[in-house]
Amino acid sequence: QTQLLGVLLAAASNFLISVSLNIQKCAHRRLVCQAEQKPYYTSKLWWCGITLLGLGEVGNFTAYGFAPIALVAPLGCVSVIGCAFISVFFLKKTVRTADILGGALTITGIYLLVTFAPNVPQELTARQVQNYLVSWPFLVYSILEIIIFCILLYFYKRKAVKHIVVLLMMVALLASLTVIAVKAVSSMIALSVKGKMQLTYSVFYIMVVLMATSCAFQIKFLNQAMHLYEATAVVPINFVFFTISATISGVIFYREFQSAALLSVFMFLFGCLLSFLGVIIIARNKKEEHLEVPFIDCGHIPGQKLTGKIQPDSHSSCYGTWNEEVNSVKRQS
């Protein structure tokens, strides 16, 4: 029952996030269409979207205290499906065949994930977290992760390699630490609320610092990826990398598949694969939408007197040049 509560909480939270993103987009659209341009933070609709986003993130945080990481992390695909279909109502978009196919694959994958997810006790005490931190599998995993991250960071900083895979791999490596810390903090808070105080242990505050630090750097590299690449490319790749990284961290740190049957592991991985495929199909070939911002007519800038056309005939060989400049070149020749 506890695990089912975590699943429902994660699914509802991600659906709430998809609603919030569409509301924010709708608010930006309305502001652009207004004659008098106002900052986005003056819009009540935008604040409504931000509030829903905050509630969704809090719900996701809480879900880690009731369900395994390997189950909560892949349920992020619910927000991708939600965005694809809710945009029909908020942004008046049309449902594509790819959306229906991708949604069907993702829902099938979610069913397999929930059915064959590891069933492990979710009450984590501070002493258990301390033992997991000093266990040799996690120490080896941490060393490998630090080495890979340093190599990627070297190419990013020194060689100026800002490929989408490099950026999102760094995000995924940081995300694995984030989900480990989030689950520990969420579980210890849940136990403290039940009367088993865990907040007096130093490991709780170590995990809080780890969660905040890794999350901050994760956002930094994710924002860089969103700045350099289209969201339709970033979203599916980030989802796949994040899910794989989070699942591996749950397996190594919390030993979530320690007593699972081979068939359950295979069906769980197959469910992940279907979810990945569904998200990629939904995001594939989806056009980026750019809000129309009124341009400035150069002919009406105070103090500027322009002669001739700025953009001549597009079929002309001198497209994109000034008429007077072209005439002067002709006279010199």
Side-chain angles (χ1 to χ4, degrees), residues 22 32 85 88 146 170 221 246 255 262 285 290 300 303 320:
N22 279 277
V32 167
F85 290 97
V88 175
I146 290 170
M170 288 194 289
F221 291 117
R255 305 165 190 177
L262 185 61
N285 295 329
H290 299 282
H300 291 86

Side-chain angles (χ1 to χ4, degrees), residues 233-274:
V234 174
V235 169
I237 297 175
N238 182 58
F239 170 71
V240 172
F241 283 5
F242 168 78
T243 304
I244 293 173
S245 179
T247 304
I248 292 173
S249 65
V251 169
I252 293 174
F253 191 85
Y254 293 110
R255 305 165 190 177
E256 292 181 343
F257 282 93
Q258 192 172 20
S259 58
L262 185 61
L263 178 62
S264 297
V265 174
F266 174 78
M267 294 304 293
F268 179 86
L269 294 176
F270 184 62
C272 286
L273 182 62
L274 289 179

Side-chain angles (χ1 to χ4, degrees), residues 7-19 22 60 71-86 103 106-107 110-111 113-114 239 275 279 282:
V7 170
L8 294 175
L9 196 57
S13 299
N14 282 293
F15 181 76
L16 208 60
I17 289 171
S18 64
V19 173
N22 279 277
N60 261 331
L71 184 54
V72 176
L75 287 176
C77 61
V78 173
S79 63
V80 179
I81 302 176
C83 279
F85 290 97
I86 294 172
T106 308
I107 290 170
I110 290 172
Y111 173 76
L113 288 172
V114 174
F239 170 71
S275 298
V279 169
I282 290 173

Side-chain angles (χ1 to χ4, degrees), residues 2 60 89 98 139 142 180 203 224 235 247 261 273 276 322 324:
T2 303
N60 261 331
F89 302 100
L139 292 176
S142 300
I180 286 173
V203 69
Q224 180 72 15
V235 169
T247 304
L273 182 62
F276 295 161
W322 296 82
E324 291 181 358

Side-chain angles (χ1 to χ4, degrees), residues 103-159:
L105 288 173
T106 308
I107 290 170
T108 306
I110 290 172
Y111 173 76
L112 292 176
L113 288 172
V114 174
T115 305
F116 295 98
N119 190 7
V120 292
Q122 295 307 311
E123 286 194 351
L124 286 168
T125 63
R127 292 191 180 277
Q128 284 178 307
V129 175
Q130 286 176 347
N131 293 333
Y132 289 149
L133 278 173
V134 296
S135 63
W136 70 263
F138 177 68
L139 292 176
V140 172
Y141 173 73
S142 300
I143 292 169
L144 288 174
E145 190 171 77
I146 290 170
I147 292 171
I148 295 171
F149 185 82
C150 288
I151 292 171
L152 293 172
L153 192 62
Y154 170 78
F155 281 103
Y156 173 74
K157 288 288 187 183
R158 296 293 183 180
K159 302 295 183 180

Side-chain angles (χ1 to χ4, degrees), residues 153-292:
L153 192 62
Y154 170 78
F155 281 103
Y156 173 74
K157 288 288 187 183
R158 296 293 183 180
K159 302 295 183 180
V161 177
K162 296 183 179 179
H163 193 273
I164 187 171
V165 173
V166 172
L167 289 167
L168 294 183
M169 276 190 70
M170 288 194 289
V171 171
L173 291 172
L174 290 166
S176 66
L177 297 177
T178 304
V179 295
I180 286 173
V182 165
K183 182 168 180 61
V185 171
S186 180
S187 298
M188 284 188 276
I189 290 175
L191 278 177
S192 299
V193 171
K194 292 177 181 178
K196 302 176 183 178
M197 181 54 64
Q198 305 293 314
L199 307 187
T200 55
Y201 292 87
S202 59
V203 69
F204 172 79
Y205 300 97
I206 292 172
M207 284 299 185
V208 169
V209 172
L210 178 62
M211 178 180 67
T213 306
S214 60
C215 190
F217 283 101
Q218 183 184 335
I219 292 170
K220 169 183 165 55
F221 291 117
L222 186 58
N223 282 337
Q224 180 72 15
M226 291 294 288
H227 177 70
L228 295 174
Y229 300 96
E230 301 287 356
T232 51
V234 174
V235 169
I237 297 175
N238 182 58
F239 170 71
V240 172
F241 283 5
F242 168 78
T243 304
I244 293 173
S245 179
T247 304
I248 292 173
S249 65
V251 169
I252 293 174
F253 191 85
Y254 293 110
R255 305 165 190 177
E256 292 181 343
F257 282 93
Q258 192 172 20
S259 58
L262 185 61
L263 178 62
S264 297
V265 174
F266 174 78
M267 294 304 293
F268 179 86
L269 294 176
F270 184 62
C272 286
L273 182 62
L274 289 179
S275 298
F276 295 161
L277 188 60
V279 169
I280 291 170
I281 289 174
I282 290 173
R284 185 173 174 266
N285 295 329
K286 183 175 283 188
K287 294 180 180 179
E288 283 288 305
E289 181 181 349
H290 299 282
L291 296 176
E292 296 181 0

